[in-house]
Amino acid sequence: MKKDKEFMDNNKNKNKPKIMTKYDQFVIPRLKDIPVWVREGVTDEEIAKRLNIHVWTLGDYRRKHPKFAEALTRPTKWETHVYPRLAEIQEWFQEGVNADEIIKKLDIGHTTWYEYIDKHPMLAELVKWSRSVIISRVENSLLKAAMGYDFEELKTIVEEDKNGKKRTRIEKVKRHQPPNPTAMIFYLKNRAPNEWNDRREIIVDTKAAELERKQLFLDMIEADVIEIEYEAIEESSHTEEGFEESDT
């Protein structure tokens, strides 16, 4: 008799209609739409309206239903603001743009930027490598200034003859930039600090020694002066009424 009663109760439960909740009615049919809305930037309040539920109910469903919570997961700024622009970040660093300006360009906060550097090795390596490139360029420029270098200048000179016709003359001027003593000192102090860092020495005749060092320094500068060489290339052209014509 007991078994028959249990069997009858089970049949009653099976035949009893299931009560549909708002989650069953409004959320489950739209689970595939929700991630699309999230990617489009739709707020939780607007999503709740589209689902015909209250925003508080949306929060309750998020806690109770993992699939719903997963559908509502929003992409981080790493995915939307930083990762797609890694190539630009590299270019900005190589152009000498500082981190504060890059953070503004990416529209993220300083804390978020440094958090992403800690979390994402690819960003950390990119920042490290890009900065090393800038440092290397500056070092090369400093060494160039310390050693001196040759360069060329082009000057275009327009001359007018007695008939009023104009003639163009292009001068290629070879110049030499002598070594920069300040750059020399800075480079040596940083590259060979043990030998070139300032030392405190006891000198009996300080004034005489200082004058001697100054004179030696002036002699070194005068010895580095190199005369400028000029190489002129003439190109003839004719103009009328003040307009210049090329030879092409």
Side-chain angles (χ1 to χ4, degrees):
M1 293 291 293
K2 186 177 180 180
K3 289 183 179 180
D4 292 339
K5 185 178 180 182
E6 288 178 356
F7 178 77
M8 292 178 65
D9 290 340
N10 289 334
N11 284 337
K12 285 181 181 179
N13 291 333
K14 286 181 181 179
N15 295 327
K16 186 177 179 180
K18 182 181 177 181
I19 299 175
M20 297 287 288
T21 65
K22 282 190 174 183
Y23 184 81
D24 298 320
Q25 291 178 306
F26 304 128
V27 178
I28 290 179
R30 310 298 299 273
L31 277 178
K32 291 183 179 180
D33 297 326
I34 295 170
V36 177
W37 298 339
V38 170
R39 286 195 297 271
E40 292 173 350
V42 180
T43 64
D44 284 359
E45 289 77 6
E46 181 60 31
I47 290 175
K49 286 181 182 179
R50 295 185 183 186
L51 295 176
N52 198 28
I53 60 176
H54 196 278
V55 68
W56 291 351
T57 306
L58 181 143
D60 184 50
Y61 288 165
R62 176 185 270 143
R63 290 188 293 273
K64 291 180 179 178
H65 303 283
K67 287 186 177 180
F68 183 55
E70 183 180 352
L72 285 171
T73 302
R74 298 184 181 276
T76 64
K77 284 197 171 183
W78 164 257
E79 298 171 292
T80 57
H81 290 57
V82 180
Y83 182 74
R85 308 187 73 181
L86 288 179
E88 290 180 84
I89 294 171
Q90 180 177 337
E91 289 178 4
W92 292 334
F93 270 120
Q94 291 177 348
E95 291 169 359
V97 181
N98 61 43
D100 289 339
E101 288 299 318
I102 290 176
I103 290 170
K104 287 181 182 178
K105 288 175 181 287
L106 296 175
D107 192 26
I108 61 175
H110 284 75
T111 303
T112 303
W113 168 255
Y114 293 109
E115 178 185 334
Y116 289 161
I117 289 177
D118 290 337
K119 285 185 177 180
H120 302 283
M122 64 174 64
L123 178 61
E125 286 298 319
L126 185 150
V127 171
K128 182 179 178 181
W129 179 83
S130 299
R131 285 177 175 170
S132 69
V133 170
I134 290 296
I135 291 172
S136 178
R137 287 181 180 175
V138 173
E139 286 178 345
N140 290 336
S141 298
L142 178 62
L143 179 60
K144 185 178 178 181
M147 299 292 291
Y149 55 92
D150 297 321
F151 64 98
E152 290 185 348
E153 281 185 354
L154 291 178
K155 290 185 177 181
T156 302
I157 301 172
V158 180
E159 299 176 334
E160 187 174 342
D161 61 19
K162 59 183 180 180
N163 297 321
K165 291 183 179 180
K166 291 186 178 180
R167 176 170 167 269
T168 301
R169 181 163 56 86
I170 297 177
E171 280 188 356
K172 183 190 292 184
V173 182
K174 291 183 178 180
R175 296 190 180 277
H176 178 77
Q177 179 66 38
N180 185 311
T182 303
M184 295 166 111
I185 294 169
F186 187 85
Y187 191 89
L188 289 172
K189 281 186 176 182
N190 283 273
R191 284 299 188 179
N194 293 333
E195 294 82 3
W196 290 95
N197 266 350
D198 293 333
R199 299 177 182 176
R200 293 184 179 179
E201 299 178 353
I202 300 175
I203 301 175
V204 177
D205 189 357
T206 306
K207 186 174 182 180
E210 183 180 355
L211 291 174
E212 184 179 350
R213 286 196 299 273
K214 285 183 179 180
Q215 186 59 48
L216 178 60
F217 179 70
L218 292 173
D219 292 341
M220 288 173 59
I221 294 177
E222 290 177 2
D224 286 333
V225 175
I226 298 176
E227 294 183 355
I228 299 172
E229 299 177 5
Y230 293 90
E231 179 184 345
I233 302 174
E234 293 191 357
E235 292 182 4
S236 61
S237 63
H238 300 284
T239 58
E240 294 182 2
E241 297 181 358
F243 292 92
E244 181 179 327
E245 295 179 355
S246 65
D247 289 337
T248 56

